[in-house]
Amino acid sequence: MALAKLPKPPLLVGFLANADPAARMYAHWTAKTCKENGFAFEVDREELDHIIAANQDKAVDGIIVYYPIFGNRQDQYLQQITDVSKDVEGLCHRYIFNMYQNIRFLDEQKLQKPCTPLAIVKILEHLHIYNPILPYGNRLLGRTLTVINRSEVVGRPLAVLLANGRACVYSVDIDGVQQFTRGEGIRKRHHEVVVKSGLKLDDVAPISDVVISGVPGDKFKVPVRLLRDGAVCINFSSQKNFGPEVKEKASIYVPAIGKVTIVVLLRNLLRIVQNRADSQAPSATALERKETSSVAPL
């Protein structure tokens, strides 16, 4: 759906109720990109009551919450109160559950996926890490990836998306390593998770084709000695998780993904507007019934 064909610019409302520098930078670039591309964007520095009000406001097309706000399970509650029809980040239960089950369509509409994980997937597709010769849904077969971060907003959803593409994914966090795969056999539809007790980053990074890191803070650096020659490295932290020496080992290094994330965000917003228009438009069958009923009997 082209913006020029819409009756008004889609309105995205962002909730920024924290001082997190990464969240503030995300909001800044969202506002800038929206302005440059004909979208409307407003920032609200409250939460809860204002999110509920935005759910009910017909003028609001999409909602994004810049996490973390509370930094605990209360953030998950905010994800659930965001109206599914306005959730541009794809973090509400309906979207997350179906993504984990590898269900891509619901009611003939493609489901939203979380923006940052999907942005990384799009980058990997562009870099041909996904094999276009293989059938859709199996294009990471034979690939091994390490994701350093298992947050519920980015790290875990990313590991799920990659595993559902048939990759072997090692998810590394402070509480250990978990392996995400699609399981055994071609009939397996969605991912499985196995806790790999005893394994550390030192064990999984050297066997990975791709190493993706999103550790907050400026103290953590992926040791370059752990990288295999020619590995692809992607940083999605607001800080640099890879030192400059990464270029000596990596065949490709992506230092930031923010701009791609915002493009995915606006794509999700356009999809919301399109889905709403499709659901409100009368179906062809309904129109045929109406035309038939309006014809006077002979």
Side-chain angles (χ1 to χ4, degrees):
M1 175 182 283
L3 279 173
K5 296 180 180 180
L6 297 177
K8 68 177 185 65
L11 172 59
L12 175 65
V13 175
F15 289 88
L16 182 64
N18 63 56
D20 182 74
R24 290 180 175 273
M25 181 62 68
Y26 190 7
H28 168 76
W29 282 105
T30 304
K32 185 175 185 294
T33 309
C34 283
K35 183 177 180 180
E36 291 173 348
N37 291 277
F39 292 82
F41 179 70
E42 296 176 2
V43 173
D44 192 315
R45 301 190 183 273
E46 302 295 331
E47 75 281 326
L48 198 52
D49 291 343
H50 287 218
I51 294 175
I52 294 172
N55 285 340
Q56 300 168 348
D57 188 346
K58 293 183 178 179
V60 176
D61 296 297
I63 295 171
I64 178 174
V65 180
Y66 294 100
Y67 298 103
I69 290 181
F70 300 102
N72 53 33
R73 291 183 65 86
Q74 204 164 344
D75 280 358
Q76 294 180 30
Y77 172 69
L78 295 179
Q79 292 172 21
Q80 306 319 315
I81 66 171
T82 302
D83 189 321
V84 65
S85 68
K86 298 186 179 185
D87 180 12
V88 296
E89 283 229 292
L91 290 173
C92 69
H93 174 73
R94 183 184 188 187
Y95 290 141
I96 291 293
F97 173 82
N98 284 291
M99 182 190 69
Y100 281 10
Q101 298 301 310
N102 203 17
I103 297 171
R104 300 169 187 267
F105 290 86
L106 194 64
D107 299 329
E108 298 183 354
Q109 294 180 343
K110 198 167 186 180
L111 291 165
Q112 302 277 48
K113 293 184 178 66
C115 296
T116 302
L118 184 56
I120 295 171
V121 167
K122 294 300 180 185
I123 290 170
L124 292 173
E125 288 178 344
H126 180 73
L127 297 176
H128 299 290
I129 303 302
Y130 282 75
N131 185 347
I133 297 175
L134 294 175
Y136 186 77
N138 294 287
R139 292 178 176 175
L140 285 177
L141 184 64
R143 295 291 194 184
T144 300
L145 300 91
T146 289
V147 178
I148 310 170
N149 176 300
R150 200 160 52 243
S151 70
E152 298 298 328
V153 175
V154 182
R156 189 183 298 276
L158 174 60
V160 169
L161 286 174
L162 298 173
N164 282 341
R166 294 204 70 85
C168 172
V169 183
Y170 291 103
S171 173
V172 181
D173 213 303
I174 56 174
D175 58 352
V177 176
Q178 296 178 3
Q179 184 185 44
F180 288 63
T181 66
R182 265 258 294 277
E184 299 294 332
I186 61 173
R187 293 177 181 270
K188 188 69 179 177
R189 287 190 55 190
H190 58 81
H191 77 287
E192 293 180 347
V193 183
V194 177
V195 176
K196 307 298 286 186
S197 300
L199 287 187
K200 300 179 295 184
L201 177 62
D202 294 39
D203 302 305
V204 298
I207 61 173
S208 297
D209 304 297
V210 181
V211 177
I212 305 167
S213 187
V215 178
D218 58 359
K219 294 182 179 180
F220 175 79
K221 293 287 186 289
V222 178
V224 71
R225 62 180 173 80
L226 298 181
L227 302 174
R228 66 190 300 179
D229 288 337
V232 171
C233 298
I234 299 175
N235 175 75
F236 68 87
S237 171
S238 58
Q239 306 293 333
K240 295 289 187 286
N241 283 181
F242 297 88
E245 66 276 11
V246 69
K247 297 176 183 178
E248 300 172 9
K249 271 285 192 79
S251 59
I252 298 174
Y253 170 51
V254 181
I257 66 162
K259 293 182 179 180
V260 182
T261 301
I262 294 172
V263 170
V264 170
L265 173 72
L266 297 184
R267 187 208 70 159
N268 282 357
L269 178 58
L270 275 177
R271 180 170 287 165
I272 282 175
V273 175
Q274 176 70 69
N275 288 346
R276 187 176 300 132
D278 290 345
S279 63
Q280 292 173 351
S283 66
T285 304
L287 287 172
E288 288 172 5
R289 283 201 205 99
K290 184 175 181 181
E291 289 172 0
T292 303
S293 62
S294 64
V295 176
L298 295 176

